[in-house]
Amino acid sequence: MGNMNQLIAVRREKLTKLQDLGIDPYPGHSERTHKIIQLTENQDEFVAEQKVVTVAGRLNAMRRQGKVGFGNLSDDTGKIQLFVRKDKVGEENFEIFKLLDLGDFVQITGECFITQRGEYSIRASQVTILGKSLRTIPVVKEKIVDGKKMRYDEFSDIELRYRKRYLDLLLNPEIKSNFEIRAKMIREMRNYLDNNGFLEVETPILQPLYGGANARPFITHHNTLDMPLYLRIATELYLKRLMVGGFERIYEIGKNFRNEGMDKTHNPEFTAVEIYQAYTNLDGMMDLTENVIHHMAMTVLGEETINFQGTDISLAKPWRRASMTELIKEQTGFDASDFDLEKIRAFCVEKNVEVDENAGPGKLITELFDTFVEPKLIQPTFVTDYPKEVSPLAKGKPGEPNLVERFELFIVGNEYGNAFTELNDAIDQRARLEAQSKLREMGDVEANVVDEDFLEALEYGMPPTGGLGIGIDRLVMLFTNNTSIKEVILFPTMKPE
RNA sequence: GGGCUAGUAACUCAGUGGUAGAGUAUCUGCCUUUUAAGCAGAGAGUCGAUGGUUCGAAUCCAUCCUGGCUCACCA
C-alpha cells in the first residue's frame, strides 16, 4: 500500500470509529455563535466574564498532552487556541477529540480564558466534528523569533501551488490577501464608474466572428446551429454597437480569450475592462484612466505610491503624456516623426532590430518603441500618437495622415491600457478592415476580420466616442507586487500533469 | 521555439556509481497549561517516465513529460 493510501486509510478508520460512536462526521449545520474575530475584538470583556461561545473552523495545529490537548482553530476571520481537558469535556467528547485530524472542521463550545502562558483560548466543554478531512494537508509551522515570523516547511512548490490553489490559499495567507485585494480593486473600479454615470453591460463571449484586437481566437462549435463560434478576444465591437444604440457611458468587465503564447504577463484567458464614453476626446480618456486607477489605489491601498519590486511607482496625477516618436527620440536620439520608410528601416538595421520586408514605417516605429522605449517606462506614462498602420479601429489624427488618436498606458515597462478616439466613419472603417483582411490573406493570422454586422451598425451612426481598455490582471500584479500573472489568477492555465 | 534550471516520502529538502536519508506529518507508548510542545519507538518511496551504459544507476548518457527563469515570438 502506498503511503498516501495509508494516510487516507488511517483517516477513514477514524471516520468509521466516529460513526460507530453514533456521530455524523458531516452534519448539515453548526451552532456557531461567534466568528473568531469577534473573540479577539472583545478579548478583555469575554475573558473577564468567562463568556461561553461556540466557534467553528478548521483545525490546523494540535498539541496533545495525555489527558489534555491544545489545538488551533481557524475561520476566515482569524485563529484561536483551543484547550481541551478530559475531565472538562467528558469521556465521549474526549474520544471525539482524540479522533480529530489536522484539517478537520470542528465546532467548539467553551469559555474564554487566558492560559498560564498567556494565550487567549477557549476551554472546551463540547467538541463537535463538522467535517472530516480525508487527506493530509501539508503542515506549515510558524514561530516568532525576535518579533519576526519564521515559517517552516512552507508550501512553496510553485507548480503545486497553482495546481492545488485551495492548499495554497489555506497555507499561504498572503496569497489569500492578494485575491482579496483583487476583489476590492474590481469593486472600486465599478464604484468609480457607476458613480460617474457609466452603465455596466454584458456582451457575448461566444461570438460568430471575433474582433476588436489583433489576436488568434479559441474556436468552438455550436451543435444545434451547427456553426463555429469564437471566444471573444475583446469586447470592443459589441460595446460600440451599444454606443450606436444610444448609450453614452458604458463599461464591461470580463474575460477575454486569446489563443497565444503564455508568459509572465500573458494568460490565455484574462480579465479586462473596456469603457466607452461619448462626446469626449483622448485627453478626457487619459483623465478617466488616471482617475479610475488613482481611485483604486487610494481606496484599496490607501496611498498613491506603490512599491513595486523595490521601485516606488507614483500614481499622483497627472501622469506623463508623450508621443511615441518623441519617446523614441528621447531614448535613441533618432527622429522617426517623418515616417520616412527607408530612413527608419536603415536605423532598425543599424540597431539590430529585426524588420519584416513588408513592414511599413508605422510597424517599424512600433518595433523601435517596443525595443528601446517600453522597458524604460517605469512611472505611469501615456504614450500618444500611434501609427495609423497598427491601429485599424482608431480615428485618424486631424492633419496627421500617418497618426491616429490613440494612447497606451505603460507602467513598470508593461502595457496596462489602450485607448482611442473610436473610428466612427463607417466608410473609413470598412477600408481599414479590408486592409487588415489583405494582411490576413498574406498570412498575418492575427489581423482583424471584416465584421459586416459591425460595419452595418456603424453605418447607422455612432457618436464621437472615446474607448478605453485596461488589463485588470496586470493592474492587480502592480498593486500586489507580483511579477507573474499566475499569482493573481486563482486558477491559471496549466498543462495537465 | 532556443538556452539555463528543477522534479527523491503527504510537505520541505539532503543524497556525484555500491543496501534509500533527515525534519515535519502519520502510527504506537508516556505526559492535565502547550504553542515549531517534549521524550521513546515504528511504518511510509516505481528517486517524474521510458530506453541505454555498467557487475551494479536517484546518481552517467539519450529521448520524452511537467514546472521555473530567461531570450525570441506575440500584444
Side-chain angles (χ1 to χ4, degrees):
Chain A
M1 188 185 341
N3 182 47
M4 194 60 213
N5 289 336
Q6 188 183 60
L7 292 173
I8 292 172
V10 166
R11 292 193 173 211
R12 294 190 68 134
E13 246 172 68
K14 292 181 184 174
L15 185 76
T16 305
K17 282 184 189 167
L18 284 166
Q19 285 164 331
D20 289 347
L21 289 170
I23 290 159
D24 177 4
Y26 302 103
H29 67 287
S30 147
E31 283 88 36
R32 170 157 79 177
T33 60
H34 291 75
K35 297 193 85 167
I36 289 167
I37 195 170
Q38 294 175 280
L39 305 191
T40 47
E41 279 173 351
N42 299 295
Q43 175 171 343
D44 294 346
E45 182 194 336
F46 281 16
V47 169
E49 60 190 45
Q50 298 183 315
K51 176 95 168 170
V52 174
V53 297
T54 299
V55 295
R58 203 191 274 267
L59 188 65
N60 45 29
M62 184 77 100
R63 296 174 291 283
R64 293 180 193 278
Q65 211 174 321
K67 296 186 182 61
V68 67
F70 296 88
N72 295 343
L73 194 73
S74 292
D75 66 15
D76 65 353
T77 66
K79 181 175 89 173
I80 187 91
Q81 176 169 266
L82 311 173
F83 177 50
V84 179
R85 286 172 61 134
K86 190 174 181 181
D87 59 8
K88 173 82 177 172
V89 296
E91 292 278 348
E92 190 186 322
N93 266 243
F94 201 73
E95 206 49 43
I96 296 170
F97 178 67
K98 285 204 290 194
L99 290 170
L100 294 180
D101 283 302
L102 298 181
D104 288 352
F105 284 93
V106 179
Q107 172 179 294
I108 299 287
T109 300
E111 64 200 27
C112 300
F113 79 113
I114 305 281
T115 64
Q116 286 176 11
R117 294 290 180 95
E119 177 144 350
Y120 186 33
S121 308
I122 297 174
R123 185 184 289 115
S125 56
Q126 204 180 332
V127 178
T128 309
I129 183 148
L130 297 179
K132 186 79 190 147
S133 162
L134 298 179
R135 279 181 187 265
T136 308
I137 295 172
V139 174
V140 177
K141 298 202 171 187
E142 290 180 351
K143 183 187 186 180
I144 311 288
V145 179
D146 301 330
K148 276 173 65 182
K149 193 179 274 186
M150 304 290 292
R151 306 185 76 193
Y152 301 84
D153 297 333
E154 204 160 5
F155 184 72
S156 57
D157 184 283
I158 293 174
E159 190 175 351
L160 271 185
R161 285 185 42 233
Y162 296 156
R163 290 190 192 278
K164 300 187 192 300
R165 183 69 94 181
Y166 45 93
L167 293 180
D168 192 26
L169 292 165
L170 222 40
L171 298 168
N172 297 318
E174 68 282 2
I175 301 300
K176 202 174 156 198
S177 119
N178 285 345
F179 288 101
E180 288 164 354
I181 289 171
R182 181 183 173 112
K184 283 183 197 162
M185 288 172 66
I186 293 173
R187 184 164 71 229
E188 289 303 334
M189 176 177 269
R190 279 205 170 89
N191 275 344
Y192 183 88
L193 293 169
D194 292 346
N195 290 335
N196 283 276
F198 288 87
L199 181 76
E200 181 169 13
V201 297
E202 291 176 274
T203 64
I205 290 174
L206 290 173
Q207 304 180 345
L209 279 177
Y210 59 97
N214 297 335
R216 299 169 72 176
F218 287 93
I219 306 170
T220 186
H221 184 264
H222 191 286
N223 289 338
T224 302
L225 298 178
D226 189 24
M227 61 179 280
L229 285 172
Y230 303 92
L231 273 65
R232 69 183 177 201
I233 58 172
T235 44
E236 172 138 355
L237 301 186
Y238 281 91
L239 292 172
K240 284 181 179 169
R241 285 170 170 93
L242 294 178
M243 297 305 285
V244 171
F247 290 114
E248 292 194 4
R249 293 185 177 212
I250 54 174
Y251 72 99
E252 177 165 11
I253 294 173
K255 288 270 181 80
N256 291 333
F257 306 85
R258 296 187 184 174
N259 206 339
E260 294 176 337
M262 296 160 62
D263 61 28
K264 290 174 84 171
T265 54
H266 295 84
N267 196 64
E269 58 180 289
F270 63 99
T271 304
V273 61
E274 284 193 36
I275 306 170
Y276 289 79
Q277 178 177 345
Y279 311 111
T280 184
N281 59 19
L282 213 56
D283 285 323
M285 294 315 279
M286 284 189 250
D287 293 343
L288 177 64
T289 307
E290 278 175 0
N291 287 336
V292 169
I293 295 175
H294 189 267
H295 170 82
M296 290 164 77
M298 294 310 291
T299 50
V300 175
L301 302 176
E303 52 194 0
E304 61 182 8
T305 300
I306 297 176
N307 189 279
F308 185 80
Q309 304 292 310
T311 303
D312 279 336
I313 305 301
S314 170
L315 300 178
K317 299 182 279 187
W319 302 345
R320 186 177 182 201
R321 303 177 183 193
S323 79
M324 181 176 275
T325 50
E326 188 181 330
L327 289 163
I328 291 171
K329 193 170 181 185
E330 185 176 293
Q331 290 297 332
T332 66
F334 179 73
D335 184 359
S337 61
D338 53 12
F339 277 67
D340 180 330
L341 178 59
E342 291 314 314
K343 185 180 111 183
I344 296 168
R345 179 175 289 160
F347 183 72
C348 286
V349 170
E350 182 195 327
K351 291 290 183 181
N352 290 319
V353 174
E354 274 192 47
V355 292
D356 181 348
E357 277 308 303
N358 300 318
K363 176 83 177 155
L364 296 182
I365 287 171
T366 54
E367 292 287 342
L368 288 173
F369 174 81
D370 290 351
T371 307
F372 297 110
V373 182
E374 184 172 329
K376 299 286 177 59
L377 298 178
I378 306 302
Q379 299 297 327
T381 306
F382 291 111
V383 178
T384 61
D385 294 336
Y386 271 66
K388 181 180 280 188
E389 197 182 325
V390 298
S391 314
L393 301 168
K395 191 194 284 270
K397 186 172 183 178
E400 297 280 359
N402 293 315
L403 301 178
V404 290
E405 292 199 4
R406 173 181 179 185
F407 71 79
E408 289 196 345
L409 169 65
F410 292 86
I411 311 174
V412 295
N414 277 318
E415 180 198 335
Y416 281 73
N418 183 17
F420 344 117
T421 300
E422 300 296 342
L423 182 53
N424 62 348
D425 175 340
I427 295 167
D428 190 358
Q429 181 66 85
R430 175 177 294 279
R432 304 257 210 112
L433 285 182
E434 281 170 356
Q436 286 283 308
S437 185
K438 289 221 172 58
L439 289 176
R440 194 174 186 75
E441 282 161 21
M442 286 162 61
D444 182 349
V445 290
E446 296 191 341
N448 283 249
V449 297
V450 179
D451 184 337
E452 286 295 343
D453 185 74
F454 166 66
L455 286 171
E456 182 182 333
L458 263 197
E459 284 166 6
Y460 284 98
M462 185 174 83
T465 297
L468 164 67
I470 299 173
I472 289 181
D473 308 282
R474 289 181 186 178
L475 210 50
V476 178
M477 288 166 64
L478 178 69
F479 277 42
T480 59
N481 196 19
N482 275 298
T483 56
S484 168
I485 197 169
K486 287 186 165 74
E487 293 290 349
V488 300
I489 293 175
L490 279 168
F491 298 99
T493 304
M494 305 282 281
K495 274 197 193 179
E497 284 176 282

